């Protein structure tokens, strides 16, 4: 994409060639301008954010009156009460609460099945990114003792064909049902009970009561995996061999009035259109009831913007809830951000006074808030760790969000509680009714966006500008370095040769174009090393019984050993005792190759996970541009050079500790136990860092020579 | 001095074989992790024509005494079916599936590399000889003439594209084998071998049919040399100055000798045609026997060549045709089919006229063009022409944009799976994302062809320069 940019200046037509030569000859200036412009555009993004709008016409949110009434609220209260009364009893509450919920569900006439799952040990596989999630990895080592139990209830839609479904998820800890969890179960139950009666339902409703004993994400992920990968008899036999089928089902069925309705088998209801994770927290808010939306899934994927729009629209305009998305709190009190906001505000005023139609200024407070939200949006996307159980859905191309409803005061007051339940229930009913109108999958609105507030977003077309500006300097600098290296070359060819022999000499000098091969080999070697380093954790994971610290030490040791070994295998390119004359040229070529490799890497990352690429670019672009061999600089003692060395060292330091930090964090969390996708995403981020490390290696190697 | 040089040579040879063995080991290691890589299902690797999975399906149908072409699954040759088919069903306990087929592909790759090496040595001999004839003593004696055969063989073996095509269970190594065999036979001027390779290559994938022009030129004129004009010029120079010494006579003798390969000799060409007709009748008879129950030869042609030429399968691949024909209106379809395939044919004649003194290079250009414009391209085709590119490493040393092309190939080959993932698995992208990389890939190939041809012509010009200077000096 941007690759063509590098090519365009070299293409045949005259003006373009001239433009290219101009750019290449002023590459220093150009790169400085580009970098500053890139950073500035990034800071401007909150101003450039647009208001969200509902793009899919079929949705028609809020067009029908809510049917959710106080009757459903009383049902919810009934369930909450019995759950809490169950909780006060000490014995056997794990299965008891499941059975209770199942009983309630079956009273409504829903199909019920239990889903037993084993929390799987965290498995990381380096190549999973390119294939379907978890394809074929059914043979995991499960611990038979500990298992979780999800309860799944399905309502068949009177008007549907059973091919589509909407999922409600209420994660709760079956051992100890907290008041918030009980309330979320209550809301979901009341909505569920309403939906058994309505006639407009066109999609089946699945209510997944996820057993979050082993983490919310694990439970939902296990259910989704079994939903999408049907287990055939052979495999189930195999599983049965591993773990003798415990008689949980029988245990649950005993004494159950509704025995006939509970199925052993896994119930399905077609493809899922959307999934809503419902959570309730209480007493934390100061002003009014509020709704927090969490949307980031693994690898910085987001659900379709329309889903967030619907929830936002219904919550604000129908239920009067305050909608929040995650913010970076530390940035809100940031001085310079405030000043920047003020400047932008006054600029906006000036522009407005010049021409009343220019409306790009936003109030300083909005700017700071937007920037804080944007920063957290970038941060969570870059991290690649899902912010809730909704992340599991995105791996199966299902749009999902977590809605965390929190009330103003603690819900002891009964009337207050009823009101809260009513609003929550109406909101969810509205969302389901809207999604129910959907004819296809969500596809109309954006998938690639950053939120600056619940109702404002920056689309891919806008934020890519910032990134492209930041990165654009790389190919230009690489081209200019490459041209430089070749300019140095003929001069030393000519000064040796007499004019008569020049023609034949021209032929006999070593092939020019192949000189970069040596540099490419070096860069390839260091990249390979980076890849080896980032794959090592996978093998270290296999070593049984080792603490994070020891495995980390092993990792560091192995990775530092692997570099000399690799260089030994691939034809010792490091041990040249190089004469000083071609050193400079070699260096320029090496830098050029390095920069182009970094450019390719960054462009790739920007496609995979924009936020990581953006943060990586912010760190790596200046580093790539400033890197210089230390020795050459030190030899010529000038203040300017000295400054540059200092700058380089500082940047190197700045760049390396984050790398170390990321790696460290990745290692610890990886061993601690997060899921495949997350660990991969960690590795991804580390991968982008490995391209930073090669720079250091190249750099230090220069320093040595 | 002498033994030292010999030992150096020996060392170099050893070095070459080490790398060859390493590449084989690398492939075997990759074959043992087929599940993780999942290469056989990548659209870049296996096209409807080269996928081994489809071949196994065709073989299965045939075992059930149905037509292997039923259900639009298999579109390859029936000969390949009877050769590779039995291997697809044979399983060895505890070994990965399709192990035998993979081994066949590895062997095909090794044979390919060896044939490329032999061709390269042949070409290099001719190159140094013609340089001597042209009196570029300095050029011919300098030690920097790279052993292009070895380089090309290693480039072929270690090219990630080749490795992926070999491990990814696509039949392209075998198609490549046929093409390289025909080139090798033509370089060695063995008409039966060349004819066999050409007939099989054409039978397997149709597009190598255009290689008949380089074949004829190779058999008629011999391998790549500088333009014939140069030799004439050289002779003029020689005749112009006649200092009476021994060297002159020697040279004249040499010049006379040099004339010999530059006369088009019809004998091998006629041989070639005879053998071609013989082999094609043989292949047709074999095919006829194997598809006799299933509708005969006409059905075979319709299902294989017809499938290739009418682009019926529009599943994504790294070419550009699938997207285009998915978009185009049906009533324009035939027109554009003719345009796209005519494109290859239009370029044949001008290139043949301009590059007639370098038939091997011409073959490279043809293969590159056809792999760009063919209906179901895969990385195996690119592996072939990139390997052949290594044969001209001496001539193309001054190629422009080599670094840019390298970066482009690396970038596109990494970007393409990522875009495919975005489109198919994540659902956040769409077909345009993937098609963009296919377009970038096509552009890269065009730049490669254009630059390599211009570098080759520049090289010829450079060879002429000292001659014209000499001549001007005389006049």
């Amino acid at each position: 994409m941007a690759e063509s940019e590098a090519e365009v200046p070299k293409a045949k037509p005259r003006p373009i060639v001239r433009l290219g030569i101009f750019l290449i000859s002023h590459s220093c200036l150009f790169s400085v301008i580009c970098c500053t412009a890139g950073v500035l555009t990034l800071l401007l993004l909150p101003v450039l954010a647009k208001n969200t709008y509902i793009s899919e016409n079929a949705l028609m949110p809020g067009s029908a009156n809510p049917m959710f009434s106080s009757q459903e609220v009383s049902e919810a209260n009934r369930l909450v009460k019995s759950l809490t009364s169950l909780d006060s009893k000490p014995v056997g509450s794990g299965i008891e609460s499941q059975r209770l919920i199942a009983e309630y569900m079956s009273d409504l006439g829903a199909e019920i099945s239990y889903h037993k799952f084993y929390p799987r040990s965290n498995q990381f596989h380096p190549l999973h990114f390119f294939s379907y999630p978890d394809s074929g990895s059914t043979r995991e080592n499960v611990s038979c003792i500990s298992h979780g139990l999800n309860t799944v209830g399905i309502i068949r839609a009177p008007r549907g064909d059973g091919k589509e479904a909407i999922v409600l998820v209420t994660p709760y800890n079956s051992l100890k049902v907290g008041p918030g969890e009980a309330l979320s179960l209550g809301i979901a139950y009341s909505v569920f009970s309403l939906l058994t009666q309505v006639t407009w339902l066109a999609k089946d409703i699945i209510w997944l009561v996820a057993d979050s004993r082993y983490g919310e994400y694990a439970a939902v992920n296990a259910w989704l995996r079994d939903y999408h990968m049907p287990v055939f008899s052979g495999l189930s036999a195999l599983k049965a061999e591993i773990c003798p089928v415990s008689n949980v089902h029988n245990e649950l069925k005993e004494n159950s009035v509704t025995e006939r309705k509970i199925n052993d088998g896994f119930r399905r209801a077609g493809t899922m259109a959307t999934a809503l994770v419902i959570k309730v927290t209480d007493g934390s808010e100061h002003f009014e009831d509020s709704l927090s939306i969490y949307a980031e899934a693994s690898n910085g994927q987001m659900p379709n913007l329309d889903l967030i729009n619907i929830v936002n629209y219904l919550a604000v305009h129908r239920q009067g809830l305050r909608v929040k998305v995650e913010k970076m709190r530390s940035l809100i009190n940031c001085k310079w951000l405030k000043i920047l906001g003020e400047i932008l505000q006054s600029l906006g005023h000036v522009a407005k006074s010049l021409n009343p139609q220019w409306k790009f200024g936003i109030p300083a407070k909005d700017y700071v808030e937007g920037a804080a939200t944007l920063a957290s949006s970038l941060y969570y996307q870059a991290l690649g760790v899902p912010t809730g159980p909704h992340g599991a859905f995105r791996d199966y191309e299902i749009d999902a969000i977590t809605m965390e409803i929190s009330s103003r005061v603690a819900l002891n007051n009964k009337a207050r509680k009823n009101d809260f339940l009513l609003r929550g229930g109406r909101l969810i009913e509205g969302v389901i009714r809207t999604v129910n109108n959907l004819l296809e999958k969500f596809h109309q609105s954006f998938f690639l966006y950053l939120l600056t507030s619940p109702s404002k977003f920056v689309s891919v077309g806008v934020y890519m500008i910032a990134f492209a500006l930041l990165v654009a300097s790389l190919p230009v600098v690489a081209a200019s370095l490459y041209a430089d290296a070749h300019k140095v070359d003929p001069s030393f060819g000519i000064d040796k040769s007499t004019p008569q022999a020049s023609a034949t000499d021209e032929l006999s000098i070593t092939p020019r174009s192949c000189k970069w091969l040596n540099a490419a080999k070096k860069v390839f070697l260091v990249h390979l090393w980076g890849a080896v380093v980032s794959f090592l954790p996978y093998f270290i994971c296999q070593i049984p019984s080792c603490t994070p610290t020891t495995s980390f030490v092993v990792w560091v040791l192995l990775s530092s050993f692997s570099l000399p070994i690799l260089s030994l295998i691939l034809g010792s390119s490091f041990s040249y005792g190089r004469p000083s004359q071609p050193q400079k040229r070699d260096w320029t070529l090496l830098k050029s190759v390095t920069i182009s490799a970094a450019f390719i890497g960054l462009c790739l990352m920007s496609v995979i996970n924009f936020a990581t690429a953006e943060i990586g670019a912010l760190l790596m672009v200046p580093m790539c541009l400033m890197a210089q061999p230390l020795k050459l600089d030190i030899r010529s003692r000038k203040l300017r050079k000295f400054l540059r060395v200092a700058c380089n060292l500082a940047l190197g330091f700045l760049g390396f500790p984050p790398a170390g930090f990321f790696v460290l964090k990745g290692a610890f969390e990886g061993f601690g136990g997060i899921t495949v996708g997350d660990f991969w995403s960690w590795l991804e981020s580390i991968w982008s860092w490995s391209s930073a490390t090669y720079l250091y290696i190249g750099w230090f190697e220069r320093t040595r020579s | 001095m002498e033994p030292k040089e010999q030992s150096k040579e020996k060392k170099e040879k050893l070095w070459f074989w080490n790398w060859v063995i390493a590449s084989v080991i690398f492939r075997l290691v990759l074959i043992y992790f087929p599940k993780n890589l999942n290469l056989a299902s990548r659209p870049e690797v296996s096209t409807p024509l080269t996928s081994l999975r489809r071949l196994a399906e065709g073989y299965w149908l045939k075992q059930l005494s149905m037509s292997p072409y039923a259900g639009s699954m298999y579109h390859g040759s029936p000969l390949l079916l009877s050769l590779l088919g039995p291997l697809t069903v044979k399983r060895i306990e505890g070994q990965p599936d399709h192990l035998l087929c993979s081994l066949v592909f590895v062997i095909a790759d090794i044979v390919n590399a060896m044939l490329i090496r032999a061709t390269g040595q042949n070409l290099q001999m001719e190159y140094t000889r013609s340089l001597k004839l042209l009196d570029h003593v300095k050029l011919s004696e300098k030690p920097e003439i790279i052993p292009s055969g070895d380089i090309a063989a290693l480039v072929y073996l270690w090219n990630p594209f080749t490795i992926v095509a070999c491990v990814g269970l696509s039949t392209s190594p075998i198609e490549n084998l046929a093409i390289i065999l025909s080139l090798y036979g033509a370089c060695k001027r063995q008409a039966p071998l060349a004819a066999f390779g050409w007939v099989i290559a054409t039978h397997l994938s149709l597009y190598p049919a255009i290689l008949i022009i380089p074949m004829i030129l190779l058999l008629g004129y011999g391998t790549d040399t500088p333009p014939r004009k140069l030799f004439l010029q050289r002779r003029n120079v020689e005749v112009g100055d006649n200092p009476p010494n021994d060297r002159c006579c020697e040279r004249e003798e040499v010049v006379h000798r040099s004339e010999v390969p530059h006369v088009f000799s019809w004998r091998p060409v006629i041989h070639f045609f005879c053998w071609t007709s013989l082999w094609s009748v043989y292949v047709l008879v074999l095919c006829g026997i194997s598809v006799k129950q299933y509708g005969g030869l006409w059905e075979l042609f319709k299902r294989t060549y017809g499938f290739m030429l009418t682009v019926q399968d529009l599943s994504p691949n790294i070419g550009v045709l699938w997207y285009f024909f998915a978009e185009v209106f049906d009533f324009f379809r035939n027109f554009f089919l003719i345009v796209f395939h005519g494109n290859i044919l239009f370029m044949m004649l001008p290139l043949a006229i301009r590059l007639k003194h370098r038939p091997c290079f011409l073959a490279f250009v043809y293969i590159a063009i056809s792999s760009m414009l063919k209906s179901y391209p895969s990385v195996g085709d690119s592996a072939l022409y990139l390997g052949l590119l290594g044969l001209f490493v001496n001539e193309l040393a001054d190629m422009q944009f080599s670094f840019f092309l390298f970066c482009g190939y690396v970038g596109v080959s990494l970007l393409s799976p990522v875009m495919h993932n975005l489109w198919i698995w994540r659902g956040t992208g769409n077909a345009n994302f993937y098609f963009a990389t296919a377009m970038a890939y096509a552009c890269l190939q065009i730049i490669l062809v254009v630059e390599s041809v211009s570098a080759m012509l520049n090289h010829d010009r450079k060879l002429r320069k000292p001659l014209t200077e000499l001549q001007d000096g005389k006049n």
Side-chain angles (χ1 to χ4, degrees), chain B residues 112 115-116 119 172-186 193-194 196-202 204-209 211 215 218 363-364 367 370 374 380-381 384-385 388:
Chain B
N112 279 347
L115 288 178
I116 287 180
T119 316
S172 41
I174 298 201
E175 288 168 18
N176 291 351
L177 176 65
I179 297 172
I180 293 173
L181 196 67
S182 67
L183 279 181
Y184 170 78
L193 192 63
F196 175 73
W198 184 77
V199 167
I200 293 292
T202 308
L204 288 182
S205 51
L206 187 64
Y207 288 92
L211 288 181
M215 290 284 141
L218 263 176
F364 155 75
I367 291 170
S370 69
K374 78 196 286 188
D381 305 315
L384 176 63
Y385 72 72
L388 290 181

Side-chain angles (χ1 to χ4, degrees), chain B residues 177-473:
Chain B
L177 176 65
I179 297 172
I180 293 173
L181 196 67
S182 67
L183 279 181
Y184 170 78
C187 272
K188 290 267 178 204
R189 301 193 131 195
Q190 289 171 344
L193 192 63
F196 175 73
W198 184 77
V199 167
I200 293 292
T202 308
H203 170 65
L204 288 182
S205 51
L206 187 64
Y207 288 92
I210 57 171
L211 288 181
I212 192 150
I213 296 176
M215 290 284 141
I216 292 169
L217 290 174
L218 263 176
L219 289 167
Y221 283 124
T223 47
D224 294 23
T225 50
R228 205 178 156 207
K229 241 188 331 189
L230 287 191
F231 292 98
L232 293 177
Q233 218 169 10
R234 176 81 224 168
R235 197 167 53 174
N236 289 344
V237 171
E238 292 295 326
V239 170
D241 85 332
N242 43 359
N245 57 13
D246 300 348
R247 233 178 123 213
C248 167
C249 303
E250 204 178 281
R251 261 188 204 163
E252 222 143 80
E253 204 181 303
V254 165
V255 169
H256 282 304
R257 238 198 295 139
S258 81
E259 273 180 73
V260 178
H262 286 275
V263 176
F264 193 85
S265 49
W266 282 101
R267 250 177 79 93
V269 178
I270 291 163
H271 268 241
F272 174 73
F273 276 115
C274 291
W275 278 104
T276 304
S277 44
L278 195 72
W279 283 120
S280 34
V281 167
Y282 181 57
V283 165
L284 281 181
V285 166
L286 281 184
C287 286
I289 292 170
S290 61
V291 294
K292 199 171 62 190
Q293 305 112 311
Y294 316 120
L297 278 180
W298 179 243
E299 180 74 7
L300 168 76
F301 288 146
K302 217 170 73 184
R303 290 312 189 112
T304 54
Y305 302 144
F307 180 77
M308 280 180 221
L309 291 176
T310 54
V311 198
Q312 284 162 7
D313 191 315
L314 297 180
S315 58
N317 54 41
I318 49 172
V320 286
L321 295 198
W322 62 273
Y323 190 87
F324 190 80
F325 283 108
E327 298 286 322
V328 83
F329 288 122
D330 253 358
F331 45 86
F332 287 130
R333 201 182 153 90
N334 289 335
F335 171 70
F336 280 110
L337 280 175
I338 292 167
V339 167
F340 272 105
H341 288 110
N343 235 334
I344 302 177
L345 299 179
F346 286 144
M347 276 185 249
M348 274 168 65
L349 202 60
L351 279 170
I353 292 168
R354 192 69 187 83
L355 290 171
K356 66 174 182 300
H357 56 283
R358 292 194 180 277
C360 265
F361 186 70
L362 183 66
F364 155 75
V365 174
Y366 279 178
I367 291 170
I369 288 175
S370 69
S371 82
M372 183 166 56
L373 290 172
K374 78 196 286 188
S375 41
Y376 309 103
S378 74
V379 289
D381 305 315
S382 313
L384 176 63
Y385 72 72
L386 289 176
L388 290 181
L389 185 65
L391 289 176
F392 312 102
V393 78
N394 287 309
E395 288 91 333
L396 298 180
D398 289 331
M399 200 167 109
Q400 277 183 309
F401 299 150
S402 55
F403 179 53
F404 167 71
L405 280 171
F406 177 74
C407 287
Y409 268 94
V410 170
V412 165
S413 54
L414 291 177
L415 205 58
S416 160
V418 169
M419 291 300 196
H420 192 258
N421 178 276
L422 278 194
W423 173 27
I424 302 292
W425 295 125
R426 287 206 195 177
T428 48
N430 52 36
N432 299 335
F433 283 45
Y434 188 66
F435 180 62
T437 60
M439 287 229 291
Y441 185 63
C443 289
L444 279 178
Q445 282 170 317
I446 291 170
I447 295 172
L448 178 75
V449 168
V450 169
E451 286 307 319
S452 59
V453 169
S454 70
M456 188 53 102
L457 295 180
N458 275 336
H459 182 76
D460 284 349
R461 249 169 245 145
K462 242 179 218 167
L463 286 181
R464 188 187 299 158
K465 214 169 165 190
L467 276 184
T468 41
E469 267 170 21
L470 216 59
Q471 212 168 21
D472 290 349

Side-chain angles (χ1 to χ4, degrees), chain A residues 1 3 6-7 10 12 125 127 129-132 135 299 301-302 394-395 397 447-448 482 501 503-514 516 520 569-570 592-593 596 600 603-604 607-608 684, chain B residues 19 36-38 42 136 138-139 142 144 146 393 396-404 406-408 410-411 414-415 417-419 421-428 433 447 451 459 462-463 465-466 469:
Chain A
M1 189 174 32
E3 193 63 34
E7 178 235 331
K10 286 175 187 168
K12 281 281 174 282
H125 214 283
L127 291 160
F129 174 70
F130 288 125
S131 54
Y132 200 70
S135 57
N299 282 326
Q301 301 180 77
M302 298 289 276
R394 188 58 235 175
D395 291 340
E397 279 189 62
F447 282 102
L448 307 170
Y482 188 69
T504 39
D505 239 36
E506 198 180 305
L507 280 170
S508 67
I509 51 170
T510 43
R512 261 198 250 168
S513 56
C514 293
W516 54 266
I569 292 169
L570 289 177
S592 149
V593 175
S596 32
I600 294 174
C603 285
L604 267 180
V607 177
I608 298 171
E684 236 173 28
Chain B
W19 278 106
N36 305 342
L37 293 167
N38 217 358
R42 308 279 336 156
H136 278 300
K138 248 185 199 161
L139 199 57
K142 74 174 175 164
E144 279 160 23
I146 309 161
V393 78
L396 298 180
D398 289 331
M399 200 167 109
Q400 277 183 309
F401 299 150
S402 55
F403 179 53
F404 167 71
F406 177 74
C407 287
V410 170
L414 291 177
L415 205 58
V418 169
M419 291 300 196
N421 178 276
L422 278 194
W423 173 27
I424 302 292
W425 295 125
R426 287 206 195 177
T428 48
F433 283 45
I447 295 172
E451 286 307 319
H459 182 76
K462 242 179 218 167
L463 286 181
K465 214 169 165 190
E469 267 170 21

Side-chain angles (χ1 to χ4, degrees), chain A residues 588-606:
Chain A
T588 30
L589 269 181
L590 183 66
K591 190 178 170 188
S592 149
V593 175
T594 315
I595 288 180
S596 32
F599 175 67
I600 294 174
L602 282 175
C603 285
L604 267 180
M605 268 317 280
S606 76

Side-chain angles (χ1 to χ4, degrees), chain A residues 513-658:
Chain A
S513 56
C514 293
K515 270 191 194 124
W516 54 266
L517 273 178
N518 204 16
K521 193 172 139 196
K522 239 173 257 178
V523 172
F524 172 72
L525 181 71
V526 184
H527 267 272
L528 197 67
W529 178 63
V532 167
V533 167
S534 46
F535 278 143
L536 272 177
Y538 171 57
F539 297 107
I540 295 173
C541 271
Q542 315 275 333
I543 304 171
S545 74
C546 61
T547 60
T549 6
T550 53
S551 49
F552 184 68
V553 169
V554 168
W555 187 24
V556 170
L557 281 179
L558 273 181
S559 41
S560 47
F561 273 127
S562 59
L563 180 64
I565 291 170
L566 270 177
S567 64
L568 208 73
I569 292 169
L570 289 177
S572 60
S573 60
F574 279 97
S575 53
Y576 288 174
R578 220 174 272 101
S580 60
Q581 176 221 10
Q583 205 177 36
K584 183 121 200 265
R585 197 187 57 225
D586 275 2
W587 159 251
T588 30
L589 269 181
L590 183 66
K591 190 178 170 188
S592 149
V593 175
T594 315
I595 288 180
S596 32
F599 175 67
I600 294 174
L602 282 175
C603 285
L604 267 180
M605 268 317 280
S606 76
V607 177
I608 298 171
N609 185 349
F610 169 77
T612 311
E614 175 74 47
I615 292 173
L618 279 177
L619 282 168
M620 273 173 58
V621 168
M623 218 148 63
C624 284
L625 297 182
M626 304 273 278
Q628 279 288 329
L630 276 182
K631 204 174 170 188
L632 286 181
D633 275 1
I634 289 169
R635 209 181 288 152
S636 51
R637 297 163 187 280
K638 278 181 194 164
L639 184 66
R640 204 168 64 86
K641 296 257 174 159
F642 182 72
L643 267 179
R644 198 160 68 181
V645 172
C647 246
N648 271 331
L649 281 178
L651 267 175
F653 233 74
L654 201 79
F656 207 68

